[in-house]
Amino acid sequence: MAPITLTTDRLVLRPFTADDTDEVYEACQDPAIQRWTVVPSPYARSDAEFFTERLSPDGWRDGSMYNFAVRTRADGALAGALGVNRRTLSGTYEIGFWTAAELRGRGYMTEAVLCAAHWSFTALGCDRLEWRAEVGNVPSRAVALRAGFRMEGEQRSGLLNKGVRRDTWVGALLPADLGLPGTVAYVPAGSVSAAP
């Protein structure tokens, strides 16, 4: 897919470029980002360069991941990073994000997640957007809940982070949760449906 830019009332979500490297490097010095996400720890400038100059552009080229720099419209500050990654199950994608420490608590990431979810459902043919975070990552869970994700439980050993398997919380958002149609019919468990 050709890289695209998304906008909300307060944010611009655009693909990462080399121009973002310094700010990504600075943001990822935050101990909370290193603790709760899969970014390397310690986080070197070469890690930021790899992310902005290779990993992110390659993901857009091959359709495996769509990473966005989340920037404020008011002053262009880097509010965070958001990625939508293709999963092996057709129509299923996973969303992940981090927020720069100095811009937390303003609702930016919830706004970005809702924007990216809408785009995923309408442009990617996504029928299920998954969120997962290590058990204990309360701020990430709060963003997912505010964005409308339904928590589905805990997954044992669901995340490999820095060489350690960890349990995760799992949630999902469906197109219908945002008032959008899916690409295929969905029949929830316990629903009565006519045989084909």
Side-chain angles (χ1 to χ4, degrees):
M1 172 175 285
I4 56 126
T5 297
L6 307 173
T7 59
T8 70
D9 289 342
R10 300 186 299 160
L11 301 170
V12 173
L13 285 69
R14 63 158 178 73
F16 280 99
T17 69
D19 292 340
D20 300 309
T21 301
D22 290 339
E23 288 172 286
V24 168
Y25 170 71
E26 290 300 324
C28 288
Q29 298 311 302
D30 176 26
I33 290 175
Q34 290 186 26
R35 166 62 183 93
W36 293 111
T37 73
V38 295
V39 304
S41 179
Y43 194 84
R45 179 165 171 74
S46 58
D47 296 318
E49 291 168 350
F50 176 74
F51 178 72
T52 61
E53 298 173 28
R54 295 218 21 238
L55 186 70
S56 294
D58 287 352
W60 279 93
R61 269 193 292 280
D62 67 20
S64 62
M65 67 175 71
Y66 308 100
N67 288 325
F68 292 94
V70 179
R71 294 192 166 274
T72 62
R73 290 181 78 167
D75 61 8
L78 181 67
L82 181 148
V84 176
N85 302 314
R86 187 178 58 209
R87 306 277 294 177
T88 54
L89 182 63
S90 179
T92 302
Y93 289 78
E94 182 176 343
I95 195 165
F97 47 84
W98 54 255
T99 306
E102 64 276 6
L103 293 176
R104 291 181 188 141
R106 301 180 191 189
Y108 288 141
M109 197 49 66
T110 301
E111 191 173 320
V113 167
L114 282 167
C115 177
H118 188 276
W119 173 76
S120 299
F121 294 139
T122 58
L124 297 180
C126 177
D127 280 315
R128 175 180 166 85
L129 187 59
E130 296 180 341
W131 162 89
R132 69 188 68 240
E134 183 180 333
V135 171
N137 189 347
V138 174
S140 183
R141 183 183 175 110
V143 168
L145 287 168
R146 283 193 301 271
F149 281 75
R150 184 179 296 176
M151 293 299 120
E152 297 176 334
E154 293 182 11
Q155 192 176 45
R156 294 186 313 148
S157 188
L159 174 70
L160 179 63
N161 190 358
K162 299 167 188 69
V164 178
R165 299 223 45 118
R166 300 181 183 273
D167 295 344
T168 59
W169 284 322
V170 179
L173 190 69
L174 306 180
D177 297 332
L178 298 184
L180 298 168
T183 62
V184 296
Y186 165 56
V187 179
S191 297
V192 178
S193 67

